[in-house]
Amino acid sequence: MTTPTPATPLIPLPLTTARALTTAGATLTAASTFLAWTWTKAFPGNLTVTGYPGGLQLLTLTGALLTLIQLLATWNTPGLRWLSPTRSHTPTTYLAAGTLATTWYTLIAISVQLGGLANLEPGGYLAAAAALLTLAGALALPFERRPAHAARTPLPPPRPLPAWAEILIIAAAFALALSVLTYGIGTAYGELFTGFLLLTGFATAALFAAGLITRLSALTHKHRNITVTAAFIAAAAFPLTQDTDEYTLIVVNILIFSTVALGLNVVVGLAGLLDLGYVAFLGVGAYTAALVSGSTASTLHIHFPFWAAVLTGAAASLVFGVVIGAPTLRLRGDYLAIVTLGFGEIFRITVGNLNGESGPSLTNGPNGIPNIPDLAIGNYNFGEKQKLGFITLNPFANYYLLMLLVTILVVLVFSRAGNSRIGRAWIAIREDETAATAMGINGFRLKLLAFALGATLAGLAGTVQAHVAYTVVPEQYVFAGPVPPNSAFLLAAVILGGMGTITGPLLGAALLYLIPAKLQFLQDYQLLTFGIALILLMRFRPEGIIPNRRQQLEFHEPTITATPPAPKAEAQTS
C-alpha cells in the first residue's frame, strides 16, 4: 500500500492567508500586464502600451491566469475540479514560480538591453512585486516534497465518461499541444522564446503534479488507435499553420536530428555501446545520396530515382557500420568510445581529401557536393508548391511530410526491435555483458547487429538531409560544434531525453536543435550554456527528462521507510 506523501508549506503561514496572498498576487500580476513596462519600443514586443498586453506580457498574463485557475481547482470549485485530480497545491506553486521566472526575466532583459532599471515603467515594478507576492503565497501552501523516483500516490478513480467524450479529450489535448508548439517555434525573437521555455517548463511540471498527464495517459492507453491517429493528424497539420517555409525548415531539421538521435539510441540506449562518431553514418548516407541523385557537381554523373537513392544511402551506411563494427566491437567501454571517435574524424578528413589532388576525385574535397536536385516521386516534385485538393503545400512542407513518415518508420523499427527477443538481449548486454555471455547470448554478433541497425537509420535520415540542405560539406559532420547535428549533440540528445526510450531522444533532439536556432543573441555562449545545462542535468536528473523505470531506479537510491516493530505482548503472569 502506498502511503501519501506528506505535504508541508515551505513558508509557515495559515492556509487561509496563503490562499489570499496567492490570489491577490496572481490578480495583480495579471492586471500589471495591461500597463506599460517600459517607455521605449527599443525592446522587442512593444511593452510601452497601456490597455492591452503584448510580447512577453502575454506570457506573464497566461502564467498568472493559470495560477489562479489551478488554485481555484484545489478549492473544489465546480467546473474546475477535473483540473486537479490530486487535489494538491504543488501545481499552483510550480505555476507561480513559472510566472515569476518569466516576469523577472523580462524585466531583467529590459534593464540589461536598455541600460538600467530607469527604463522600467511603474507597470514593470508592479509586475515584479506582484509575481513575487504570488510565489510567496504559493510557497505557504502545502507542498509535496517527494523524490523524483518515489512512487506517486494513486489517483482517485475518474468520473466515468462516454467513449465519444474521452476521444474528444484526446483530440483536444493534441490540438492544444500543436498550438503551443506552433507558438513556440513561431516566436519572432529570442527573448520571447526564452520566456516561452521558462513558462512551458514550469507548466509541464504543474501538469504532472496535478495528475492530468496521468489521466491523459490512461485515456491514450485505452484508445490506442485513436491516439496514434490523432498524433499523426496533429503532426501532419503543422505545415498548414505556417505561411512561409522559415519555421517549417526548422522543424524539418528537427525531425532529421530526432531520427538520427533515435538511431543512436539503439546503439547507446539499448545495447549500451558508447559511440562518439555516430554522425559519420549520417554523412555517409548524405554523401551517397548526393553522388547518385544527379547533382551537377557529382563525379559519378548518375541520377537514381528517389527510392533507389534512399536505399543506396541506407545500404552504404549499413556497409560502413559492419566494416567499422566488425573489428572494433570486441572492445568495451572507453576503448570503444575512442575508436568510434577516431572513425568519425577519419570520415570527415577523408571526404575532405577526396578532391583529385590529395586523393581520388570523388567528393570535391572541402567544397563538398552542391546543387543537389530536389527529390521527386513520379510527377511530384518536392521543390515545388503542390496542391492537394484545397491545400497548398510549400516546398519545405513537402519535405516535412516526407521526414514525418521517415520518423514514424524509425520509431516503429525502434519499438519493434526494443520489444523483441533481440532487444531484450541488447538490454542484457547493456546491463552486464559478462553475465549475458554466460547465459548463452552471443554478445559480439548482437552488438554488431545494433551497430549496423543504428548506422542504417542514420544513413536513411542522411539521404533526406542532403536534399533539404541542397549541399553536403565535410564541416557538417564534426564531433562537436555550435550547430547540430554532430556527434556530441546527438549523444547529449539521447542522454538528455532519456536513454532506451522513444519519446526521450525525440524531445532531447528537438530541444537541442530548437534552442540554438532561436536564441541567436547567445551565439557566442551557446556551448557554455549547453555545458552548464548538462552539468545541472547530471546533478539533478541523470536519468533524463523522460526516463524508463529501470534506469530511474539505477540512478537513485530507493527510499526505504523503516517500519516500527509491533509492540510485544506483555508476558502473562499466573
Side-chain angles (χ1 to χ4, degrees):
M1 179 177 178
T2 305
T3 57
T5 305
T8 56
L10 300 178
I11 298 178
L13 287 177
L15 180 59
T16 305
T17 304
R19 287 176 170 174
L21 285 177
T22 308
T23 304
T27 304
L28 286 175
T29 304
S32 70
T33 61
F34 292 86
L35 302 176
W37 284 11
T38 183
W39 60 273
T40 174
K41 297 180 181 179
F43 187 81
N46 190 12
L47 307 184
T48 65
V49 181
T50 298
Y52 62 88
L56 282 156
Q57 289 176 326
L58 288 171
L59 297 178
T60 296
L61 176 61
T62 302
L65 293 179
L66 290 177
T67 304
L68 276 175
I69 292 172
Q70 186 58 230
L71 184 62
L72 292 174
T74 59
W75 291 355
N76 292 326
T77 305
L80 297 178
R81 296 171 184 168
W82 63 274
L83 289 173
S84 183
T86 60
R87 297 295 184 266
S88 169
H89 291 92
T90 305
T92 305
T93 305
Y94 283 141
L95 290 170
T99 305
L100 177 74
T102 305
T103 304
W104 279 47
Y105 164 76
T106 304
L107 301 176
I108 292 173
I110 291 173
S111 302
V112 171
Q113 291 190 24
L114 303 184
L117 294 174
N119 293 281
L120 296 178
E121 289 289 293
Y125 290 105
L126 175 61
L132 184 60
L133 178 64
T134 306
L135 182 60
L139 292 177
L141 297 171
F143 185 84
E144 293 183 2
R145 307 184 188 187
R146 185 185 60 82
H149 61 284
R152 291 183 177 275
T153 304
L155 296 178
R159 174 185 173 186
L161 294 174
W164 65 266
E166 295 178 342
I167 294 173
L168 188 61
I169 291 173
I170 294 173
F174 278 105
L176 178 62
L178 176 62
S179 301
V180 172
L181 175 66
T182 302
Y183 177 84
I185 293 177
T187 48
Y189 47 94
E191 292 84 357
L192 183 59
F193 180 72
T194 304
F196 167 79
L197 282 183
L198 290 173
L199 184 59
T200 304
F202 281 100
T204 303
L207 289 176
F208 276 100
L212 290 175
I213 299 296
T214 303
R215 286 281 170 84
L216 181 62
S217 298
L219 290 181
T220 56
H221 182 75
K222 181 179 179 181
H223 303 280
R224 187 180 299 274
N225 293 333
I226 297 296
T227 301
V228 173
T229 303
F232 179 77
I233 293 175
F238 172 78
L240 306 181
T241 65
Q242 304 298 309
D243 297 328
T244 65
D245 275 341
E246 179 183 1
Y247 300 122
T248 306
L249 176 59
I250 292 178
V251 181
V252 171
N253 287 314
I254 288 175
L255 287 178
I256 293 173
F257 190 20
S258 301
T259 302
V260 181
L262 198 56
L264 178 61
N265 198 25
V266 174
V267 180
V268 177
L270 293 182
L273 307 174
L274 184 55
D275 188 349
L276 298 182
Y278 188 75
V279 75
F281 298 119
L282 175 69
V284 170
Y287 264 96
T288 303
L291 288 170
V292 302
S293 294
S295 170
T296 56
S298 173
T299 57
L300 299 183
H301 304 294
I302 55 178
H303 190 178
F304 285 177
F306 162 73
W307 62 270
V310 170
L311 291 179
T312 304
S317 296
L318 170 63
V319 171
F320 270 84
V322 173
V323 170
I324 298 301
T328 60
L329 287 178
R330 299 187 186 278
L331 301 174
R332 297 186 186 183
D334 298 339
Y335 300 101
L336 177 62
I338 293 172
V339 170
T340 55
L341 174 62
F343 164 66
E345 292 302 299
I346 288 172
F347 169 79
R348 180 180 61 83
I349 295 172
T350 300
V351 296
N353 286 314
L354 297 180
N355 56 1
E357 298 179 2
S358 303
S361 178
L362 184 63
T363 63
N364 296 324
N367 296 324
I369 304 176
N371 304 323
I372 301 173
D374 288 300
L375 287 174
I377 302 179
N379 296 325
Y380 194 99
N381 191 311
F382 284 74
E384 299 175 355
K385 287 187 176 181
Q386 302 289 342
K387 281 196 172 184
L388 299 177
F390 298 100
I391 301 173
T392 300
L393 297 177
N394 293 323
F396 285 117
N398 298 322
Y399 282 109
Y400 169 83
L401 294 177
L402 173 64
M403 201 59 222
L404 180 62
L405 294 176
V406 173
T407 304
I408 293 174
L409 174 62
V410 173
V411 168
L412 182 62
V413 170
F414 181 88
S415 176
R416 294 296 184 183
N419 294 326
S420 66
R421 180 180 178 182
I422 294 176
R424 292 193 295 271
W426 283 337
I427 295 175
I429 293 172
R430 182 193 68 194
E431 297 300 322
D432 192 330
E433 185 174 351
T434 303
T437 304
M439 295 298 294
I441 294 176
N442 190 328
F444 171 74
R445 185 179 65 183
L446 288 173
K447 288 193 294 184
L448 184 61
L449 180 60
F451 214 69
L453 178 59
T456 304
L457 297 180
L460 182 66
T463 59
V464 181
Q465 185 207 31
H467 292 86
V468 171
Y470 295 108
T471 184
V472 289
V473 292
E475 287 74 17
Q476 292 176 324
Y477 310 105
V478 297
F479 168 71
V483 180
N486 52 64
S487 293
F489 268 73
L490 287 169
L491 184 60
V494 174
I495 297 174
L496 172 67
M499 292 189 298
T501 64
I502 294 177
T503 54
L506 296 178
L507 177 61
L511 290 175
L512 290 182
Y513 190 93
L514 189 60
I515 291 175
K518 300 297 292 186
L519 300 184
Q520 296 294 331
F521 66 97
L522 290 178
Q523 186 82 30
D524 297 332
Y525 304 100
Q526 285 181 3
L527 291 180
L528 174 63
T529 54
F530 172 61
I532 294 174
L534 283 182
I535 292 173
L536 294 176
L537 177 73
M538 292 298 102
R539 171 60 183 85
F540 296 105
R541 197 173 178 84
E543 68 273 20
I545 299 176
I546 307 178
N548 60 36
R549 187 63 179 169
R550 179 196 298 271
Q551 291 187 334
Q552 193 172 28
L553 293 175
E554 287 178 359
F555 282 109
H556 296 280
E557 291 292 337
T559 303
I560 301 176
T561 304
T563 304
K568 296 181 179 180
E570 295 183 359
Q572 297 286 337
T573 57
S574 56

